[in-house]
Amino acid sequence: MFGFQSDFCSLSHLVKLDLSKNQLQQLPLDFGRLVNLQHLDLLNNRLVTLPVSFAQLKNLKWLDLKDNPLDPVLAKVAGDCLDEKQCKQAAVKVLQHMRAIQSEQDRQRQRKLQAEREMEKKREAEQRAKEAQERELRKREKAEEKERRRREYDAQKAAKQEIEKKTKKEPVQTRKPTSSSRPAQPPRHKPSWSRSVLRVLLLALLCVLCTLAACKLTELQRQPLCISVNTLYEDVVAALQNHKSLQNMLHQNSQH
């Protein structure tokens, strides 16, 4: 079985190539690099498909794929190469078919790349949304923590103000002074009975004098009560005068 060397497809100057009857199962994937190839004979091999790069053989004019177990679609496109005309038609039709396959693969690749890009955009959008959600969550948690601290501060401040208010309302309790620091209290005056009696006597004397004055100086002196008072007054005065005379006599006798 014929084997291709690794640098075979670099022979881009080839114009005619006969690979018939070599039991080839497949052509190199970069077979399309033989861009100057015009005549290609692949008769009686074991090829099923052709590489997609086959579509790049834009100068191909003649192609023979008879006696190969080709894919039914490819076999129908290639047709029979029984004469020059059919072989030329095979070249044109196979190139068109491979170009259509290449275009479809390019479209699929583009769709795949587009899907991958969209998926990447979707992942990026999801990542951005997730990051925004996390930022919003952290922001909300920070705001809640700030609000919680503010409420605690307000509660502590209110409790402190309440304590200060109660302290101001409550009377100040002075400490009981000890025996050593207790200030000296002025001595309490004990009630004097003699003073009270003296006050009563003075009050009675005042009443008597008032009554006597009323009975002596006013028109009430003709009243029975005032007559008795005046009589009593005169008796007292007389007694006092007698008492004074007696004292004078006693005094004179004591001198003698």
Side-chain angles (χ1 to χ4, degrees):
M1 183 178 68
F2 177 81
F4 292 97
Q5 295 181 357
S6 59
D7 59 346
F8 173 78
C9 294
S10 63
L11 302 175
S12 59
H13 62 281
L14 290 177
V15 175
K16 185 175 181 179
L17 181 61
D18 186 356
L19 296 174
S20 61
K21 301 178 183 179
N22 281 297
Q23 301 295 311
L24 295 175
Q25 295 182 357
Q26 62 181 11
L27 297 179
L29 296 178
D30 58 347
F31 193 80
R33 294 173 61 189
L34 303 175
V35 292
N36 291 314
L37 194 62
Q38 299 181 14
H39 185 105
L40 177 60
D41 190 353
L42 294 171
L43 173 69
N44 194 11
N45 281 288
R46 302 171 65 182
L47 297 173
V48 177
T49 60
L50 297 175
V52 178
S53 65
F54 198 91
Q56 299 174 10
L57 302 177
K58 59 183 179 179
N59 293 315
L60 190 63
K61 303 284 190 301
W62 192 96
L63 176 63
D64 187 359
L65 285 171
K66 292 191 306 293
D67 299 331
N68 280 283
L70 295 174
D71 178 80
V73 177
L74 180 61
K76 183 177 179 180
V77 171
D80 294 330
C81 184
L82 300 177
D83 54 27
E84 188 73 12
K85 182 178 179 180
Q86 290 182 346
C87 292
K88 288 182 178 180
Q89 289 179 350
V92 173
K93 291 181 178 179
V94 169
L95 282 177
Q96 292 177 349
H97 176 69
M98 298 308 298
R99 286 169 182 168
I101 292 177
Q102 186 181 42
S103 298
E104 180 62 25
Q105 288 187 354
D106 289 342
R107 285 192 294 270
Q108 290 180 357
R109 186 163 48 252
Q110 289 297 327
R111 286 195 295 269
K112 184 178 180 180
L113 290 175
Q114 183 66 22
E116 290 178 353
R117 283 194 290 267
E118 291 179 356
M119 185 62 67
E120 183 65 23
K121 289 181 180 179
K122 184 178 179 180
R123 284 195 296 267
E124 291 177 355
E126 290 177 353
Q127 182 66 24
R128 288 193 297 269
K130 183 179 179 181
E131 291 176 354
Q133 186 176 4
E134 291 177 353
R135 287 195 299 269
E136 184 65 23
L137 179 61
R138 289 194 296 269
K139 184 178 179 180
R140 186 165 58 251
E141 290 177 350
K142 187 176 181 180
E144 290 176 355
E145 179 66 17
K146 185 177 180 180
E147 180 64 19
R148 184 184 64 81
R149 292 183 179 178
R150 188 188 65 79
R151 288 197 300 267
E152 290 180 354
Y153 174 78
D154 291 343
Q156 292 176 359
K157 185 177 180 180
K160 185 177 180 181
Q161 291 177 351
E162 187 66 22
I163 292 173
E164 291 178 352
K165 189 183 297 183
K166 289 183 178 179
T167 305
K168 290 179 179 178
K169 288 182 178 180
E170 291 178 355
V172 179
Q173 296 181 355
T174 56
R175 295 182 180 178
K176 294 182 179 181
T178 59
S179 58
S180 59
S181 61
R182 181 179 298 173
Q185 298 180 354
R188 295 180 181 178
H189 296 286
K190 294 182 179 180
S192 176
W193 292 103
S194 60
R195 187 173 300 175
S196 299
V197 172
L198 181 59
R199 289 178 180 175
V200 173
L201 293 176
L202 290 174
L203 182 59
L205 181 58
L206 180 61
C207 292
V208 170
L209 292 175
C210 290
T211 302
L212 183 60
C215 291
K216 284 288 187 181
L217 302 175
T218 65
E219 295 178 355
L220 295 175
Q221 58 185 347
R222 295 185 179 87
Q223 297 295 327
L225 179 60
C226 286
I227 294 173
S228 300
V229 171
N230 291 331
T231 302
L232 180 61
Y233 173 71
E234 292 175 355
D235 292 339
V236 171
V237 170
L240 289 175
Q241 289 177 352
N242 292 330
H243 180 64
K244 189 174 181 181
S245 298
L246 181 60
Q247 284 183 348
N248 290 332
M249 290 175 62
L250 291 174
H251 182 63
Q252 291 176 0
N253 292 328
S254 63
Q255 290 178 354
H256 292 299

